Amino acid sequence: MRQLQVHIDNNSGFCFGVIYAIQMAEDILEEQGYLYCLGDIVHNDEEVERLQHKGLRIINYDTLATLRDESVLIRAHGEPPSTYQMAMENNLRLIDASCPVVLKLQNRIKTSFDKKEQIFIYGKHGHAEVLGLLGQTSGEAVVFENLEELLRHELPENITLYSQTTKSTDSFYRIKGELEGRGYAVNANDTICRQVSNRDKELRNFALRFDKIIFVSGTKSSNGRVLYQVCKDTNPNTFFVSKVEELQPDWFTAGESVGICGATSTPMWLMEEVRNALSAF
């Protein structure tokens, strides 16, 4: 026995948007035994699998187009206008669990688009939230993942800058500063969720307290990758796992302190499983 001292970060786990979506799904599953969900309800395979056992049916846009007279959950990431149009045409009842922070961002982007502003969105190509944001501009906004990619575009003198809600605040303002330093006028809209961005500082403080850090996250989570890197930069002895089976006993020596933390899409029950497994090493 290695007798590890194991602690879970109380600030980790689902953000309020994910909690709202999952609670809504569970309530309906309890009532009717099944529910369609457009895309993974959360970017965590373990949580998705748990809900599928309760009757959640994950579908894509092709399947959505074939459904009639059914209920479909819209997850926290939000959807473009085309999804709502399809739902009307197919007599689908949309159970909208879009995160309020995302909905506010969609509305702001739509307002900018209606004003004919040239919109650039700092975000991940193909991400569900970003697709919903692009939909507010009829696909005309430019999405970029880093400054290098942005500078490959022919940029206008006046740039309206937005961000996916889960991106790094520091990176967003670095991009803004670099553009202004190159002479561009930047209308920067900081639309990053503070419940996410505040975790940067919280995680740095948490990661410094332990010999080793286990960061628990789904491999599809953009937020997870960002926060894992925060931990890794702060404490090089940080390990990424998506499930308990990925833990390796040889990562640890006897008596070490181990901190467990995770993304906004990581369920607390999964971090507790990781804690129990480490305690048994």
Side-chain angles (χ1 to χ4, degrees):
M1 293 283 290
R2 286 175 170 78
Q3 295 182 321
L4 302 173
Q5 303 169 49
V6 186
H7 302 274
I8 297 177
D9 174 27
N10 291 328
N11 294 311
S12 287
F14 290 153
C15 63
F16 71 87
V18 173
I19 291 172
Y20 176 66
I22 289 177
Q23 186 61 62
M24 190 175 290
E26 289 187 316
D27 289 346
I28 295 170
L29 288 169
E30 190 170 325
E31 289 175 12
Q32 66 180 40
Y34 78 96
L35 174 65
Y36 292 101
C37 179
L38 184 55
D40 287 346
I41 189 169
V42 62
H43 286 153
N44 187 281
D45 290 342
E46 301 296 296
E47 179 66 6
V48 169
E49 185 177 325
R50 183 185 73 85
L51 290 169
Q52 284 177 319
H53 285 310
K54 290 177 173 283
L56 192 70
R57 302 173 182 177
I58 307 297
I59 61 172
N60 57 24
Y61 290 108
D62 291 339
T63 303
L64 181 72
T66 68
L67 290 182
R68 300 290 187 277
D69 310 316
E70 288 282 3
S71 297
V72 180
L73 181 77
I74 300 299
R75 56 197 174 161
H77 300 97
E79 283 294 321
S82 57
T83 298
Y84 296 88
Q85 181 62 37
M86 184 184 295
M88 287 178 54
E89 293 169 357
N90 293 0
N91 196 35
L92 299 175
R93 181 171 75 99
L94 292 183
I95 300 155
D96 201 338
S98 299
C99 174
V101 177
V102 173
L103 288 178
K104 182 178 179 181
L105 170 55
Q106 288 185 350
N107 290 334
R108 290 180 67 176
I109 287 180
K110 180 66 165 61
T111 298
S112 291
F113 180 68
D114 290 343
K115 292 178 180 178
K116 310 297 183 185
E117 296 176 10
Q118 293 186 271
I119 300 169
F120 293 79
I121 301 172
Y122 174 43
K124 181 183 177 184
H125 293 289
H127 188 280
E129 180 189 321
V130 173
L131 294 178
L133 302 180
L134 267 177
Q136 310 307 314
T137 71
S138 300
E140 293 183 21
V142 175
V143 176
F144 66 97
E145 296 193 7
N146 51 55
L147 181 64
E148 182 183 7
E149 180 184 356
L150 175 61
L151 294 176
R152 289 201 291 267
H153 292 275
E154 186 173 338
L155 300 177
E157 291 182 4
N158 298 293
I159 294 171
T160 296
L161 184 64
Y162 283 97
S163 173
Q164 180 180 338
T165 60
T166 53
K167 299 300 283 185
S168 161
T169 309
D170 290 345
S171 296
F172 178 79
Y173 281 105
R174 278 199 298 270
I175 290 167
K176 173 182 180 291
E178 180 67 28
L179 289 171
E180 290 174 338
R182 291 169 180 259
Y184 296 102
V186 182
N187 173 20
N189 299 271
D190 180 353
T191 52
I192 295 166
C193 175
R194 284 302 178 264
Q195 193 175 5
V196 174
S197 63
N198 288 345
R199 290 196 180 181
D200 283 33
K201 182 178 180 180
E202 292 168 352
L203 274 182
R204 289 182 206 281
N205 292 334
F206 181 80
L208 286 170
R209 291 168 46 199
F210 301 93
D211 298 316
K212 302 284 171 62
I213 294 292
I214 301 298
F215 189 88
V216 187
S217 172
T219 56
K220 299 176 185 175
S221 172
S222 297
N223 163 254
R225 281 191 290 275
V226 171
L227 294 181
Y228 164 70
Q229 197 58 52
V230 167
C231 287
K232 187 75 170 175
D233 290 345
T234 306
N235 184 336
N237 293 313
T238 295
F239 301 90
F240 183 104
V241 299
S242 60
K243 53 188 176 182
V244 172
E245 290 78 8
E246 293 173 357
L247 292 169
Q248 301 293 324
D250 59 8
W251 290 345
F252 312 99
T253 56
E256 282 188 315
S257 61
V258 183
I260 300 170
C261 51
T264 56
S265 53
T266 302
M268 183 57 70
W269 66 260
L270 183 55
M271 288 187 282
E272 289 171 349
E273 282 194 357
V274 169
R275 176 196 61 197
N276 295 342
L278 290 174
S279 297
F281 279 175

